Amino acid sequence: MKLITTLSDLRTARPLLPGPVGFVPTMGYLHAGHISLAERAKKECASVIVSIFVNPTQFGPAEDLAKYPRDLPRDLALLKAAGVDLVWTPTPEVVYPPGYQTWITVEGLTAPLEGAQRPGHFRGVTTVVAKLFNAVQPQKAYFGQKDAQQAAVLKRMARDLNFPVDVVVCPTVREPDGLALSSRNVYLNAEERQAAIVLYRALSAAKNKYDGGERNADVLRAIMRSVIGSEPLAYEQYVSAADPETLCELKEIDKGVLFSLAVRIGKTRLIDNLLI
Ligand SMILES: Nc1ncnc2c1ncn2[C@@H]1O[C@H](COP(=O)(O)OP(=O)(O)OP(=O)(O)O)[C@@H](O)[C@H]1O
Ligand SMILES: [Mg+2]
């Protein structure tokens, strides 16, 4: 497995890799969710590239950039074991040269949900992913369903900008009790970790009611809200039952629905979703 930091080394190594090339962008502190993306890429592509870059521009001023967890040696061991061919760990100075002022923005899809609560977040995500696509030149790129809005936004961006990249969205990997794996789970103390299963409990309650025939989205949102309300350590940030394509809130569900939510547990903000 090759470890590369500079852009010029990447540009030397990239053409030597057999295609198709599969790409997994990450912010590191890897868990089984990230590894599942690399394994899927390994299955579908001749070569796999993973990037590790904690992207400063997708963090708000009051967010956790400075204390975002990092463990490069451990990440590299996991990626090597997964059979990854090349890991790119660019520095912020490479991605954002001095005087940087160029941005990619996707409009409508970034307005609700995460976009409404994290101003500028998706501008940072789309900008960095566009730059990573330009540098890595993958044929396929792999993202997690856990970040459902991000996946929708990046699919839109790839289409709108004619990136010759197939954006593949992979299932959310969960702990046995249902908690979606996230690098940020490491912030939770034991009591908060227990409380954090409320996200999956709320989503499952909505899905059960839906499976029982309920199609009124207000009723389903209220169910998620009440499950979250029953957990003393949880503070709801939003609950949503939206059209999976447009992310607009639904009144009646006729085709599919994306149940999603953001919840604060102590100081940690967690998100999760179920796509029906
Ligand atoms: N539980 C999971 N299952 C599948 N994919 C995941 C999971 N968690 C994250 N991913 C995906 O891994 C990729 C890199 O995400 P990232 O490095 O931000 O990890 P993360 O766990 O989401 O961290 P954080 O919660 O701090 O944002 C994204 O495409 C994301 O959707
Ligand atoms: Mg993430």
Side-chain angles (χ1 to χ4, degrees):
M1 187 175 78
K2 255 184 142 36
L3 174 60
I4 284 179
T5 302
T6 68
L7 190 53
S8 68
D9 284 350
L10 178 67
R11 286 181 174 150
T12 304
R14 169 62 184 87
L16 306 177
L17 290 176
V21 167
F23 176 46
V24 181
T26 81
M27 300 206 299
Y29 210 76
L30 303 180
H31 51 63
H34 299 110
I35 300 306
S36 76
L37 305 182
E39 285 171 347
R40 174 82 173 269
K42 182 94 188 151
K43 250 185 231 142
E44 298 180 353
C45 303
S47 308
V48 179
I49 300 181
V50 174
S51 64
I52 298 176
F53 179 61
V54 181
N55 176 34
T57 66
Q58 71 187 67
F59 288 77
E63 292 182 7
D64 56 344
L65 172 62
K67 62 165 192 157
Y68 196 83
R70 298 170 196 244
D71 188 346
L72 185 61
R74 181 171 157 279
D75 289 349
L76 295 177
L78 290 169
L79 294 174
K80 193 169 177 195
V84 169
D85 299 284
L86 190 159
V87 179
W88 188 35
T89 57
T91 59
E93 295 70 30
V94 167
V95 180
Y96 300 107
Y100 192 85
Q101 48 187 286
T102 304
W103 301 97
I104 303 290
T105 54
V106 171
E107 297 189 350
L109 276 179
T110 63
L113 306 173
E114 291 298 289
Q117 297 209 334
R118 302 182 69 189
H121 169 68
F122 284 118
R123 181 181 85 148
V125 169
T126 46
T127 298
V128 80
V129 171
K131 296 195 56 141
L132 295 169
F133 281 5
N134 279 337
V136 169
Q137 307 214 347
Q139 277 73 48
K140 288 173 163 258
Y142 295 82
F143 297 90
Q145 174 65 29
K146 192 205 72 182
D147 299 279
Q149 186 175 18
Q150 170 174 279
V153 166
L154 292 174
K155 277 190 163 178
R156 187 74 255 167
M157 179 191 78
R159 257 185 262 136
D160 288 355
L161 294 183
N162 307 111
F163 276 107
V165 181
D166 180 16
V167 171
V168 182
V169 183
C170 305
T172 301
V173 177
R174 299 178 179 283
E175 300 282 6
D177 64 6
L179 177 66
L181 297 189
S182 161
S183 302
R184 288 182 164 113
N185 293 348
V186 70
Y187 298 147
L188 302 169
N189 66 30
E191 205 187 350
E192 292 168 343
R193 168 64 186 80
Q194 196 48 41
I197 62 177
V198 76
L199 283 86
Y200 189 64
R201 281 207 292 119
L203 292 166
S204 302
K207 181 184 185 298
N208 284 341
K209 199 80 178 165
Y210 174 90
D211 288 343
E214 182 61 62
R215 292 295 182 270
N216 182 311
D218 280 328
V219 171
L220 295 164
R221 282 185 289 263
I223 286 167
M224 291 190 272
R225 205 160 272 144
S226 86
V227 174
I228 296 166
S230 72
E231 169 49 65
L233 294 185
Y235 297 88
E236 175 199 316
Q237 302 224 299
Y238 62 79
V239 301
S240 164
D243 181 300
E245 309 263 290
T246 65
L247 304 183
C248 293
E249 291 304 315
L250 294 170
K251 284 198 108 33
E252 287 292 319
I253 300 168
D254 52 358
K255 300 193 299 280
V257 57
L258 178 71
F259 294 121
S260 69
L261 40 77
V263 173
R264 202 160 49 71
I265 310 274
K267 288 192 169 121
T268 306
R269 185 175 183 281
L270 300 175
I271 60 171
D272 199 354
N273 68 84
L274 279 182
L275 176 63
I276 313 283

